[in-house]
Amino acid sequence: MAYKKGDKIVIKNKPKQDNKINKYEEILKDLSLILSSSKYQEVDKLECANMLLPTLENWFIEDEFKPIKYAKNKLIPLLSDCIEKTTDKYMPDFFEIYKNLYIFCARRDLECFIDYMEWDMPKKVLAPRRNVLKPYVDALQKIAFDSKIEYLIVSLPPNFGKSYILNNFTAWSYGIDINNSNLRISYSYDLVAGFSRTIKSLVSSPKFADVFNQYKLYGGKCFDVDQLDNWHIKNSIAPKSHIIRTREGSTTGERANFAIIFDDLCKGAEEANNITAHEKNYNSWTTEWWNRKANNNVKYIFVGTLWCPEDILNRVKNDREQLSPFVDTDIPYTQITEDGSTILIRTPMLDENGKTTCPEIYSQANAEFIQKTTDPILFSAVYQQDPKAPTGREFADELLLHYNQLPLHEDGTPAYSNGSYAVLDPARKGKDNVAMPIHKHGDDDFYYMVDCIFQQKPMTDLYDLIVDKIIEHTIVELVIENNTDTSLKSLIDMKLKEKNYFLCNIREKYNTANKEQRIKDSRGIVKSRIKFKEKTSYLPNSDYGRYMKNLSYYSFDYPNLHDDAPDASSMMASEIILNKTISKPIPIDRREYGI
């Protein structure tokens, strides 16, 4: 207990310690009681305040995190209160202790680190935008120390300070461990080079050395390799401390042991609807960038502004969601996967009540003006972080109907047909896909796409697979688009009879109408009567996944390399769903009737 003896403040340690309360925490609690009390003189309080940091330093030797948390949450607010209440005589002394508490906390707390690095800046970034940036800062804090978190995906509107926070995070990582190494990738060399200069400047600054005392040895000259693309901190055992590349640059042979950071991989509005550019980014990620890790503890950080559903930010989010679903948290605009491996932050410019989330950057009037004058699809993605299908992509996944499971009656029995319905669109050219979507007809009159064939193979290689799918799903109605091969129906019929399957009625359809016009004419039925599986229930590289990608990427406004999936779904709509002349077949075994 703390008590006053003459003019001295004495801290008397208790003989027994609660297992849950560290001895240093007990001392700090006693000091805090004196500092918050009105019974003590200012000189006595100052003496207590001067004991805070030595106590914290001793505690830090035993535990790197608890004293930081205690100082940040309890002591910094307490010292702020002391500064407000003290006289001019003692204010500078209390303020110096207050500042030193920030320096102490900055060792392991990113928010305090940024606050201290901004201490004397006339125009700060974090402080005026803390309400929107704190979830982002806290997520970076977690990913730095929580081994369970592997991915952080952050999308914010332009100018929120995304890259600024990342620069501070990267510099801070070299204070946490001088041996850390990071790889930063962006679309522009000027952009990523600017990041590199900023991080070097932070690491070389006197303030950085205030927080991480070992850097005082360098006197601001921290690098023995000082190239912009690859620099190395003295005495680090990492081959390179920091590596920058553009998305077009080669990362072969490069390795990062702490974080691989992707910051603004899309150029902006000029690439918003450029599916080829988005696909190239994603393919580089899956084939090259992912492998630039030096160990399995490397963190992957994706930060930027969303431009469309095919933006790599959204693609990686969908990939992570397939492994483990996202769930909401108490933190605004923040989700985490059930397995705790991925944090997702999507902060809009306007909240659910239409109020600006960051008045520092977008005033209410300015935000409303942007909403009125921006294309709705771009506004939804870029400013609201809620990507919608671009113009012309009317089969985008967000616009289709989906199902998690086939419908059931209240008693649990199937509420859909015993038999299935399918169409077959053979490949016409070498790079076309053979497309065969298969559907169940629900009692609710929706058609549920349960399976498909979607492969770039010659028809001769797929005959047996087509027959197997017919039998597996009890297909009772199959429509074949037959513009070239008049023997296909006969061949499939023969193979089915060889396997004693007699339930499938096969029809051939010869199309003369323009294909794009057929797709346009049937799009309403595809979107209103066919239900597709949720993304999380199929693999992207499966036949089903590739079918859905081909369908959802089809655009009426842009050239399409392939239209096999939309053509097949349109044929399903026109030849089966809308064909009123065909009664709903009931599966029978012809052998029972001697036929």
Side-chain angles (χ1 to χ4, degrees):
M1 181 69 184
Y3 64 94
K4 193 173 183 184
K5 185 179 180 181
D7 293 327
K8 300 289 289 182
I9 299 295
V10 180
I11 304 299
K12 185 177 179 181
N13 289 331
K14 295 182 179 180
K16 293 183 179 181
Q17 298 296 329
D18 187 327
N19 290 332
K20 295 182 179 179
I21 301 179
N22 183 282
K23 62 181 178 181
Y24 300 112
E25 187 174 352
E26 283 284 1
I27 295 172
L28 293 169
K29 282 185 175 181
D30 289 341
L31 292 172
S32 299
L33 286 174
I34 295 171
L35 288 168
S36 60
S37 173
S38 59
K39 298 179 180 179
Y40 294 91
Q41 297 179 3
E42 287 183 315
V43 64
D44 297 326
K45 289 186 176 184
L46 183 59
E47 184 179 349
C48 283
N50 280 319
M51 297 173 67
L52 295 175
L53 281 165
T55 306
L56 288 167
E57 291 286 2
N58 288 328
W59 191 2
F60 186 81
I61 295 172
E62 296 183 3
D63 189 318
E64 293 186 8
F65 300 103
K66 289 182 180 178
I68 301 289
K69 183 177 179 181
Y70 190 92
K72 178 182 181 181
N73 295 334
K74 297 185 179 181
L75 299 182
I76 286 178
L78 180 59
L79 263 292
S80 177
D81 189 58
C82 288
I83 292 169
E84 290 183 7
K85 294 178 179 179
T86 194
T87 60
D88 292 344
K89 179 180 179 180
Y90 294 103
M91 184 179 291
D93 297 316
F94 277 110
F95 185 82
E96 187 66 19
I97 296 168
Y98 172 75
K99 180 179 178 180
N100 286 332
L101 285 173
Y102 263 99
I103 295 173
F104 172 79
C105 291
R107 297 178 191 174
R108 295 295 181 270
D109 188 273
L110 179 59
E111 183 180 14
C112 288
F113 175 80
I114 299 174
D115 279 332
Y116 180 63
M117 299 306 284
E118 290 188 335
W119 201 267
D120 299 320
M121 287 172 54
K123 186 172 178 61
K124 298 175 173 57
V125 174
L126 177 58
R129 310 176 201 177
R130 199 179 303 271
N131 64 315
V132 291
L133 289 178
K134 184 169 172 54
Y136 174 28
V137 173
D138 288 348
L140 287 168
Q141 168 81 27
K142 291 176 182 176
I143 203 171
F145 298 114
D146 190 338
S147 60
K148 194 162 58 175
I149 301 174
E150 303 172 29
Y151 286 73
L152 172 61
I153 308 168
V154 179
S155 59
L156 303 173
N159 301 318
F160 262 45
K162 303 178 292 293
S163 298
Y164 175 87
I165 297 299
L166 268 182
N167 292 339
N168 278 269
F169 168 77
T170 306
W172 179 65
S173 74
Y174 299 119
I176 294 171
D177 188 343
I178 198 171
N179 300 311
N180 279 337
S181 60
N182 298 282
L183 169 62
R184 185 85 164 259
I185 301 175
S186 185
Y187 79 86
S188 161
Y189 181 79
D190 289 342
L191 192 64
V192 77
F195 299 155
S196 183
R197 292 189 190 95
T198 299
I199 296 164
K200 286 177 60 183
S201 176
L202 289 168
V203 173
S204 303
S205 69
K207 284 184 180 179
F208 192 85
D210 288 343
V211 178
F212 303 107
N213 290 333
Q214 68 268 37
Y215 282 81
K216 290 182 177 179
L217 298 172
Y218 304 131
K221 298 179 179 179
C222 307
F223 312 106
D224 51 19
V225 176
D226 199 3
Q227 299 172 357
L228 194 58
D229 291 2
N230 313 285
W231 43 263
H232 183 263
I233 299 174
K234 294 176 182 178
N235 300 320
S236 169
I237 64 173
K240 297 175 182 178
S241 298
H242 193 261
I243 307 159
I244 61 169
R245 294 290 184 271
T246 67
R247 65 186 188 186
E248 310 295 341
S250 173
T251 59
T252 302
E254 305 295 356
R255 292 289 185 274
N257 65 30
F258 182 69
I260 301 176
I261 301 170
F262 305 93
D263 186 358
D264 279 330
L265 289 178
C266 178
K267 284 185 179 180
E270 64 182 281
E271 286 186 345
N273 293 326
N274 189 335
I275 303 303
T276 301
H278 293 302
E279 187 71 12
K280 186 175 181 181
N281 286 339
Y282 182 74
N283 289 338
S284 294
W285 153 245
T286 57
T287 60
E288 181 181 354
W289 298 335
W290 180 85
N291 291 313
R292 298 305 97 203
K293 58 181 181 177
N295 55 62
N296 289 328
N297 298 319
V298 169
K299 312 296 185 177
Y300 298 106
I301 301 172
F302 293 82
V303 174
T305 295
L306 272 174
W307 291 96
C308 74
E310 280 66 56
D311 193 307
I312 193 169
L313 293 168
N314 205 48
R315 295 285 299 275
V316 175
K317 176 258 182 184
N318 291 338
D319 290 346
R320 301 304 298 171
E321 191 170 27
Q322 287 192 343
L323 297 175
S324 180
F326 282 98
V327 294
D328 292 331
T329 68
D330 294 333
I331 305 169
Y333 310 113
T334 302
Q335 294 180 307
I336 189 168
T337 51
E338 287 184 349
D339 65 4
S341 66
T342 307
I343 296 176
L344 174 70
I345 299 174
R346 288 184 167 180
T347 305
M349 180 180 69
L350 294 174
D351 66 16
E352 58 274 13
N353 297 315
K355 302 297 182 183
T356 179
T357 58
C358 189
E360 169 76 9
I361 301 300
Y362 300 103
S363 68
Q364 186 65 34
N366 189 27
E368 291 176 356
F369 177 78
I370 291 172
Q371 183 181 26
K372 291 177 182 177
T373 57
T374 304
D375 175 82
I377 292 171
L378 272 180
F379 179 80
S380 182
V382 177
Y383 293 100
Q384 293 302 95
Q385 309 309 300
D386 183 19
K388 305 294 184 185
T391 303
R393 290 188 50 237
E394 297 189 32
F395 299 121
D397 196 72
E398 295 79 9
L399 304 179
L400 300 175
L401 300 176
H402 297 88
Y403 72 95
N404 285 314
Q405 64 175 22
L406 291 171
L408 300 174
H409 293 296
E410 291 184 1
D411 61 1
T413 57
Y416 53 87
S417 59
N418 293 326
S420 301
Y421 302 82
V423 296
L424 175 59
D425 185 12
R428 295 169 185 77
K429 295 179 293 184
K431 292 188 177 181
D432 283 347
N433 292 274
V434 175
M436 180 180 166
I438 302 166
H439 306 75
K440 291 286 187 182
H441 186 196
D443 293 351
D444 52 10
D445 210 24
F446 287 108
Y447 285 80
Y448 295 79
M449 183 170 145
V450 294
D451 198 0
C452 71
I453 295 173
F454 197 71
Q455 298 187 22
Q456 283 184 345
K457 290 184 178 181
M459 282 299 301
T460 53
D461 293 350
L462 295 175
Y463 291 148
D464 290 337
L465 178 59
I466 292 169
V467 169
D468 290 343
K469 288 291 185 183
I470 291 173
I471 297 172
E472 176 189 351
H473 292 285
T474 318
I475 294 177
V476 296
E477 191 74 25
L478 173 65
V479 179
I480 301 175
E481 183 172 34
N482 190 356
N483 292 346
T484 56
D485 187 357
T486 57
S487 64
L488 184 56
K489 175 183 180 300
S490 300
L491 183 62
I492 294 175
D493 251 334
M494 180 187 71
K495 285 182 172 290
L496 287 172
K497 289 176 181 178
E498 288 175 355
K499 295 195 175 187
N500 293 317
Y501 187 87
F502 302 97
L503 304 179
C504 185
N505 175 43
I506 302 177
R507 290 191 295 119
E508 291 180 308
K509 172 64 178 178
Y510 185 84
N511 278 313
T512 56
N514 175 271
K515 183 186 294 187
E516 182 174 346
Q517 189 59 49
R518 293 201 313 264
I519 296 173
K520 282 185 177 180
D521 292 343
S522 301
R523 58 188 164 177
I525 302 302
V526 172
K527 292 160 65 175
S528 64
R529 297 284 302 280
I530 300 177
K531 290 192 175 184
F532 303 89
K533 291 181 180 179
E534 293 284 359
K535 272 190 175 182
T536 54
S537 62
Y538 56 82
L539 296 175
N541 288 328
S542 65
D543 281 24
Y544 204 107
R546 287 185 288 105
Y547 185 99
M548 294 305 298
K549 179 179 176 180
N550 186 251
L551 176 64
S552 62
Y553 278 21
Y554 182 82
S555 172
F556 290 107
D557 294 343
Y558 299 92
N560 301 279
L561 291 176
H562 301 288
D563 53 15
D564 312 303
D567 192 27
S569 286
S570 296
M571 185 160 60
M572 176 69 196
S574 62
E575 296 303 318
I576 291 184
I577 297 177
L578 287 183
N579 196 324
K580 303 299 184 182
T581 63
I582 301 175
S583 301
K584 184 175 178 180
I586 301 174
I588 62 170
D589 189 341
R590 296 184 183 182
R591 291 170 296 184
E592 294 181 3
Y593 298 92
I595 57 175

